[in-house]
Amino acid sequence: MSIAPFENRWGRLLTTMLVPKSRSKWDWIAGAHLDEISIFSQPWFVDIAYRKELRVAKAFNKAGKLICAFPYRQTNVMGIFPRITSSDNWRRLSSFVFLDKHISDEEKRGAITDIIKQLPGSIGYCQFILDNQASIRDAFIEAGFECIEMPKYIRPPSKQNYERVDGYAQARDNVLKTISKDGRARYKKTAGLAKIENISASDFCKFYESNLIGNGEQSYAPLSVAETLIENSVRRQKAFALAVKDKNGVEAAAAFLFDSGATYAWLASRKYHPQSTKFSGDEKYKKYCIDMLIIEAMIFAELHGLIYDAEVIPVERNGAPRSPHKVFVNEKILHLSRNESRFVFERMGWWYHGARQVFCKARDVFAKRPVDMIE
């Protein structure tokens, strides 16, 4: 597999990825440094995802300074029950944004309380997701939220400097050292029979959709929005979309987002093959194409000193959180670090809970799934 295109492309990103972008009409976070804000809460990202339905709740300190903002979209379940969630149809789309890194935990708790009070009182269901905010969970618990601690799978970068010409090769070697022996063998086998290429947002979404259809499934979040998000993220040097291609065409594709702190696994799809298909011998590598893309993203994160975040949150099915998604978390292969620093806060009314159970049963009958999940 040739790695030169990736080495050159990523070399340019190394010097430009953290340069603040100019302000725009969507910059509702006055005075904040955009590169200190999660990719999922960037004003342009939220604006594309929420479109005209974007709302923003804000909290100010005693001096009148804006210290926290919460961008959100209110949706209705069955056209009746208001619902607010920072997950929505896109994993961890946005959450509370604290504009001053130096404010105290007490101020953070006060800001959360103020924002929760601003949300419509008729809301039947709320869900918020925060990372590394254990010290402020009391604000949610006091407001009637249930706190669920979820495993967070990451790969911290080493402290090595990759300014040399062969930086990519060094980063790749360091990543491969941290995964299993079997994982290294799979990577080398797949790299010898397939190659990684850039894939456009349009081609990625077409590939994604075709394989949902092949499985008899469909997306209930518009793929046109995903395409726009990927296009804009790549243009702003906040994302890359890659595909594994062999002699038969594209076997797998994935889109990864990144900001100044981490690279996030986001969307992925495998080529549809009938369940009766058995890969063995020289074609066995086809089963490992997703792993190859994930390892490539881990190399990118290592090269740029970023955390690789498998971006796993609970996905509800019949009211119960599911296990971490196996596409981005293969513990036997990737050896990612696990910690309990991702918190999901949920609150629902008793009347909403009963109606929701009926809705979930009806939804499962039609077997619709969000675009960010594949089996």
Side-chain angles (χ1 to χ4, degrees), residues 206-218:
K206 289 177 182 177
F207 178 77
Y208 198 105
E209 184 175 28
S210 66
N211 291 294
L212 285 176
I213 294 173
N215 281 289
E217 295 153 357
Q218 57 183 306

Side-chain angles (χ1 to χ4, degrees), residues 214-235:
N215 281 289
E217 295 153 357
Q218 57 183 306
S219 160
Y220 65 67
L223 282 172
S224 60
V225 177
E227 182 177 338
T228 304
L229 284 171
I230 295 171
E231 284 179 344
N232 279 265
S233 299
V234 171
R235 179 171 58 82

Side-chain angles (χ1 to χ4, degrees), residues 1-3 5-6 9-10 168 187 190-191 194-199 241-246 252 289 291-297 299:
M1 177 185 67
S2 174
I3 61 174
F6 298 99
R9 175 169 64 89
W10 289 358
Y168 174 92
Y187 178 84
T190 307
K195 60 181 179 179
I196 296 179
E197 296 182 350
N198 290 310
I199 185 171
L242 304 175
V244 175
K245 189 175 183 179
D246 64 9
C289 290
D291 285 345
M292 189 178 183
L293 292 175
I294 293 171
I295 291 172
E296 195 71 17
I299 295 170

Side-chain angles (χ1 to χ4, degrees), residues 69-256:
F70 174 64
Y72 70 96
R73 177 176 61 189
Q74 179 180 323
T75 58
N76 293 318
V77 179
M78 298 183 290
I80 302 174
F81 305 107
R83 180 175 183 265
I84 290 177
T85 170
S86 57
S87 176
D88 202 38
N89 293 333
W90 309 96
R91 281 207 306 274
R92 199 159 63 90
L93 176 60
S94 61
S95 194
F96 290 84
V97 182
F98 297 102
L99 307 182
D100 185 349
K101 295 186 295 185
H102 303 292
I103 64 174
S104 66
D105 289 340
E106 182 179 359
E107 286 180 298
K108 288 182 178 180
R109 287 192 289 267
I112 289 173
T113 300
D114 288 346
I115 286 178
I116 291 175
K117 290 179 179 178
Q118 293 176 43
L119 302 179
S122 60
I123 293 296
Y125 176 75
C126 288
Q127 181 195 74
F128 304 121
I129 301 169
L130 287 91
D131 283 347
N132 303 312
Q133 299 290 348
S135 60
I136 59 176
R137 71 174 76 180
D138 290 348
F140 291 96
I141 294 174
E142 290 175 3
F145 285 82
E146 177 186 3
C147 175
I148 304 171
E149 294 187 27
M150 293 300 298
K152 177 179 178 180
Y153 292 88
I154 63 172
R155 181 191 183 276
S158 68
K159 297 181 180 180
Q160 186 167 341
N161 191 316
Y162 295 104
E163 293 183 352
R164 294 171 52 182
V165 175
D166 59 348
Y168 174 92
Q170 289 182 313
R172 179 192 59 198
D173 291 343
N174 283 337
V175 168
L176 293 178
K177 288 177 184 177
T178 63
I179 68 177
S180 70
K181 182 179 179 181
D182 188 30
R184 293 195 295 272
R186 291 183 182 185
Y187 178 84
K188 293 176 181 178
K189 175 71 172 179
T190 307
L193 297 170
K195 60 181 179 179
I196 296 179
E197 296 182 350
N198 290 310
I199 185 171
S200 69
S202 175
D203 288 343
F204 174 85
C205 290
K206 289 177 182 177
F207 178 77
Y208 198 105
E209 184 175 28
S210 66
N211 291 294
L212 285 176
I213 294 173
N215 281 289
E217 295 153 357
Q218 57 183 306
S219 160
Y220 65 67
L223 282 172
S224 60
V225 177
E227 182 177 338
T228 304
L229 284 171
I230 295 171
E231 284 179 344
N232 279 265
S233 299
V234 171
R235 179 171 58 82
R236 294 171 182 268
Q237 297 187 339
K238 295 294 183 182
F240 53 95
L242 304 175
V244 175
K245 189 175 183 179
D246 64 9
K247 60 183 180 180
N248 298 317
V250 176
E251 279 291 330
F256 300 89

Side-chain angles (χ1 to χ4, degrees), residues 58-68 100 103 107 110-111 114:
K58 301 178 181 180
F60 301 84
N61 63 13
K62 295 180 180 179
K65 179 182 178 181
L66 179 65
I67 59 173
C68 183
D100 185 349
I103 64 174
E107 286 180 298
D114 288 346

